[in-house]
Amino acid sequence: MGEMKKILLQDGRCLVIREACVQDAEKLLAYVKKIAGETDYITFAPEEFHVTLEQEIAKIEEYAQTDNQLILVAEIGEEIVGNLDFRGGKYSRTAHAGEFGLSVLKDYWGLSIGKHLLRYLIDWAKKTGKVRKINLRVRVDNERAIRLYQRLGFVIEGTLKREFYVGGRFIDSYLMGLCVDPK
Ligand SMILES: CC(C)(COP(=O)(O)OP(=O)(O)OC[C@H]1O[C@@H](n2cnc3c(N)ncnc32)[C@H](O)[C@@H]1OP(=O)(O)O)[C@@H](O)C(=O)NCCC(=O)NCCS
């Protein structure tokens, strides 16, 4: 189990960032359902999310057994307010690279919670000595997220045409990436 980070937010509340454990499974599922209903910048709608408690527990256990995968939760008090999920490749030729998804509950946007989750990921990746490339996909109109990624050093590496279909129209995505060198 990795480090737990405590951060004082600009509004005075204490944010905790830590790796998810199996006890978080139920809360995490409820969190993902909620965020799916709050934004269409993620890939699925709440009614399309069918992960069971058993599947979620199995996933958390599987991630904990690997050194190139990470599930983070951001908590304020008892509530999960943000989540980051990084999945590295399975085989020796791709294990150094992986892709992540990131979200923060809408009520908590703009408090730097996304930035702190991402910083944790980058620090962790450096410490693994194994993860050398972090990738992500983001809708080209998701300015808030793109700005956050660019501030932390991610660069746009390409455009994926028609990656999203929302409200009757296609939307492109950027592929963004960060090369990681060990500490
Ligand atoms: C993207 C997301 C994770 C950002 O989380 P967050 O905690 O609000 O992010 P932060 O507060 O750390 O940083 C957001 C940055 O965007 C800026 N920002 C705020 N509103 C903005 C807007 N309307 N347009 C552009 N940038 C904006 C903030 O000022 C901040 O940059 P700054 O520190 O340079 O000022 C969050 O908005 C979210 O969950 N969105 C829905 C899901 C999603 O889009 N996930 C990413 C999919 S790839």
Side-chain angles (χ1 to χ4, degrees), residues 12 19-20 44 50 84 108 113 131-132 138 143 152 163:
E19 289 182 34
F44 51 86
H50 303 298
L84 185 151
Y108 297 88
I113 297 173
V131 175
R132 305 298 302 275
V138 59
E143 287 169 28
L152 291 188
E163 267 277 284

Side-chain angles (χ1 to χ4, degrees), residues 68-139:
N68 68 345
Q69 308 199 96
L70 182 72
I71 305 177
L72 293 178
V73 292
E75 283 179 318
I76 292 181
E78 295 286 292
E79 190 182 13
I80 295 180
V81 297
N83 171 230
L84 185 151
D85 184 325
F86 176 85
R87 189 173 272 269
K90 269 197 187 141
Y91 305 108
S92 59
R93 293 175 187 168
T94 57
H96 65 284
E99 190 168 322
F100 76 86
L102 166 69
S103 63
V104 172
L105 287 184
K106 205 164 193 168
D107 282 348
Y108 297 88
W109 287 4
L111 292 171
S112 302
I113 297 173
K115 180 180 77 184
H116 290 299
L117 279 164
L118 211 44
R119 276 206 187 136
Y120 191 118
L121 170 71
I122 296 167
D123 283 350
W124 165 85
K126 285 182 180 165
K127 282 188 220 145
T128 63
K130 180 169 185 176
V131 175
R132 305 298 302 275
K133 178 75 198 295
I134 301 175
N135 295 315
L136 69 96
R137 274 177 265 186
V138 59
R139 267 173 57 165

Side-chain angles (χ1 to χ4, degrees), residues 25-40:
E26 203 168 347
K27 268 193 187 174
L28 259 174
L29 289 179
Y31 168 86
V32 174
K33 246 199 147 73
K34 184 168 180 190
I35 189 80
E38 288 187 344
T39 174
D40 56 19

Side-chain angles (χ1 to χ4, degrees), residues 2 15 30 36 40 42 60 68 119 141 149-150 154 165 172 182:
L15 176 77
D40 56 19
I42 63 174
I60 295 170
N68 68 345
R119 276 206 187 136
D141 57 349
Y149 301 142
Q150 284 177 327
F154 286 80
Y165 182 69
D172 298 348

